Amino acid sequence: MIDAVIVSGGNIQKDFALDFLKKYTTDQTCLIAADKGVEFFMDAGLRPNVAVGDFDSLSDRGMEYLAGLAGTETVRLKPEKDDSDTQHALNFAISRGAAEIAVLGATGSRIDHLLANIELLLLGMKKGAKVILADRNNWAALVKSGTVLKKAEQFGSFVSFFPLGGSVQGLTLTGFKYPLLKHHLKPEDCGLTVSNEIVEDCAGVEFESGTLLMLMTRD
């Protein structure tokens, strides 16, 4: 199960988020509202364990809800800061011992926010935590060499891979519709590894060096 779930202020699909919480969390999971993510908890009738942010994007109704929360730890940030509310929430979760963290509401109409949130995967890896970004159509995570994906458990129908921060050396994909053998995956030719499909019960991902982003997606 996941140690902490951060609900950010992006595109939060309520039904998906509620189903995700039911499937992947326990009573021990820390629920963190990052800024406008507070309004998801308000609308869902749930109480976050922690609320983090400068809360400049909250509605008046959201501010009233936040002020009335009992038992929720509130971390108020200054609007002039060097990190995003979501990044601060991630660092907070890691400081409290979370090793596996999911971020909901990380996607939306602003590509700058999306790219910043994808970089959180690298921040988590650097600090020893596994970070997942998820919405109704996408599941993003960094994967280690030796990862085995079970077709029966995959999220969506498609699996894509992208190198982050440079090339990925020696990428081998087995059990996929389009296999690879020790391929040097460069950022400029990553179209090669978009929209692959798992065709066996299990698929394997191995590589020699680099940082590999996996996106499991569905239409």
Side-chain angles (χ1 to χ4, degrees), residues 33 41 45 61 69 117 128 158 185:
F41 290 94
R61 181 166 162 259
L69 281 176
N117 288 332
F158 305 103
L185 183 65

Side-chain angles (χ1 to χ4, degrees), residues 43-120:
D43 294 338
L46 300 174
R47 181 182 66 80
N49 301 107
V50 184
V52 176
D54 53 29
F55 306 115
D56 59 352
S57 59
L58 276 186
S59 64
D60 291 342
R61 181 166 162 259
M63 290 295 292
E64 183 178 353
Y65 168 80
L66 179 63
L69 281 176
T72 293
E73 181 179 355
T74 302
V75 180
R76 292 188 179 273
L77 308 176
K78 294 180 179 180
E80 301 82 12
K81 55 187 183 301
D82 294 329
D83 57 0
S84 67
D85 297 314
T86 305
Q87 182 179 345
H88 198 96
L90 179 65
N91 282 322
F92 178 91
I94 293 172
S95 73
R96 293 292 177 90
E100 187 162 350
I101 303 162
V103 184
L104 309 182
T107 59
S109 58
R110 289 188 55 175
I111 295 177
D112 56 343
H113 284 178
L114 173 60
L115 289 175
N117 288 332
I118 288 176
E119 295 291 337
L120 295 181

Side-chain angles (χ1 to χ4, degrees), residues 77-180:
L77 308 176
K78 294 180 179 180
E80 301 82 12
K81 55 187 183 301
D82 294 329
D83 57 0
S84 67
D85 297 314
T86 305
Q87 182 179 345
H88 198 96
L90 179 65
N91 282 322
F92 178 91
I94 293 172
S95 73
R96 293 292 177 90
E100 187 162 350
I101 303 162
V103 184
L104 309 182
T107 59
S109 58
R110 289 188 55 175
I111 295 177
D112 56 343
H113 284 178
L114 173 60
L115 289 175
N117 288 332
I118 288 176
E119 295 291 337
L120 295 181
L121 304 178
L122 292 169
L123 175 63
M125 181 181 68
K126 183 177 180 180
K127 295 192 172 186
K130 179 180 179 180
V131 180
I132 298 162
L133 309 182
D135 64 22
R136 181 181 292 136
N137 300 99
N138 305 281
W139 181 289
L142 300 182
V143 292
K144 297 179 179 179
S145 181
T147 293
V148 175
L149 304 173
K150 296 181 180 179
K151 183 175 178 60
E153 298 176 359
Q154 74 177 106
F155 181 95
S157 301
F158 305 103
V159 187
S160 300
F161 298 97
F162 301 91
L164 288 185
S167 300
V168 170
Q169 298 277 357
L171 177 61
T172 296
L173 303 177
T174 57
F176 287 91
K177 183 176 181 180
Y178 306 107
L180 284 178

